[in-house]
Amino acid sequence: MSDASAAVTDPDPGSGGPLSTADGQPLKVALAQSQKRARRRALMLVAPLFAFVIFAFVLPIGQMLFQSVYNPTFSDAAPNLVQWFDEHPQGSELDESAYAALAADLKLMRETKTAGVAGTRINYDVAGTRSLFTSSARKAAKLEPPYKPALLEIDEDWGDPEIWRAMRSASQPFTIDFYLAAIDLTRDAEGHIVSVPEDRAVYVMLFQRTLALSALITALCILLGFPIAHLLATLPLARSNILMIFVLLPFWTSLLVRTTSWMVLLQSQGVVNDLLVAVGIIGEDGRIQMMYNQIGTVVAMTHILLPFMVLPLYSVMRPIPPSYVRAARSLGATSWTAFRRIYLPQTLPGIGAGSLLVFILAIGYYITPALVGGADGQLVSNLIAFHMQKSLNWSLAAALAGILLGGVLILYWLYDRLVGIDNLKLG
């Protein structure tokens, strides 16, 4: 019980009756009330954090995933075409009724000023169709039956089956077409899922590049961070605390400042190339291009993400007693055997946690690849930002982000299966 003054009494010890508190309340009821009050206090303490997670994390992610499969811009602007597509299955002939529905919707778009929005939605699938919709909507008031020759006279592209295929696909507000586009797939005139032309296949390549560079950066962080963490863990506490300041120092500097510093160091006329020329390793005409390519992305991101590997490793290495390795050496094991069979297995939770943290951060990085990566060092996150800010194809950006989120969840699942999420040690 939480109330210290509530003493437990037994009015008749020989009767075997239920225990009660000093005020006569049954002990079972008093305990239940006390536990209920404790649960309410705990709930009130975590309620602000829970609300923050819901409104700042769960709801935005849910809205993003919903946006990736829901886009009603065309279906809302073209109700007549939506009805025609519902009444005529895939492969139906584009007769006069189809063009009559198109003409009616163009007139409606002109009145509601939604031709640009509808054209933009179709432009996601067929380039150049936004201007087709806007120009045709301006002339829609003069359209008279028969509508098919009238519309073809305005623009012969209205007879293109690819445009009608795109309009049929966009006539349904719920669609998986954005996920298909995110993995370089599309639908043909018959509605079958096919690969996009080779010159338009960019997303799968970007996903492969993102995973490959993130894995490389994670491996480099392990190679560089392991000896640093080992040194911090084995030094006396006073010295290791001083060195830990240098590990944490990058967190006190702006990410933009650190990235631009690497731009100064790695450019063709930068410090690194000047040093290599000065010592005679390379000639003046053989300066190494380390900027605006994958080299710049890997170097800058490895430096930025290295502390996220060192801290989990240090937290695991510090409690490991040095006597374990000394005991193995005294029993005849070599230094390599003692490290491989005694020390390294105890550091695996830190390696797994650091690798998971660095890899997840790497696949979602945006600023550093945008500044130092150039065309060859761009990652999926840069393309997501492009669709959000430039092309305004938010549904495709949401689909790309959804696939990235799915990959992260699979990575968590694999980590849980191989290492165990209970063994995750982040510091």
Side-chain angles (χ1 to χ4, degrees), residues 101-171:
L102 175 59
D105 284 334
L106 288 174
K107 293 177 182 179
L108 179 62
M109 292 175 192
R110 183 176 182 274
E111 295 174 0
T112 57
K113 298 181 180 180
T114 56
V117 175
T120 299
R121 171 64 182 90
I122 306 304
N123 195 74
Y124 295 156
D125 291 333
V126 184
T129 49
R130 188 182 189 278
S131 59
L132 175 65
F133 273 83
T134 54
S135 62
S136 299
R138 286 194 297 266
K139 305 173 184 178
K142 301 178 181 179
L143 289 174
E144 295 180 356
Y147 291 108
K148 182 173 182 178
L151 284 167
L152 292 178
E153 183 179 353
I154 291 177
D155 198 311
E156 60 181 11
D157 285 342
W158 286 120
D160 187 355
E162 186 67 15
I163 293 179
W164 285 90
R165 190 275 310 165
M167 290 193 296
R168 179 182 287 275
S169 178
S171 65

Side-chain angles (χ1 to χ4, degrees), residues 241-255 257-258 303-304 307 311:
N241 287 339
I242 295 176
L243 293 180
M244 182 62 73
I245 294 176
F246 292 98
V247 175
L248 299 177
L249 189 61
F251 292 122
W252 304 342
T253 309
S254 169
L255 175 63
V257 172
R258 284 178 280 165
H303 166 255
I304 291 170
L311 295 178

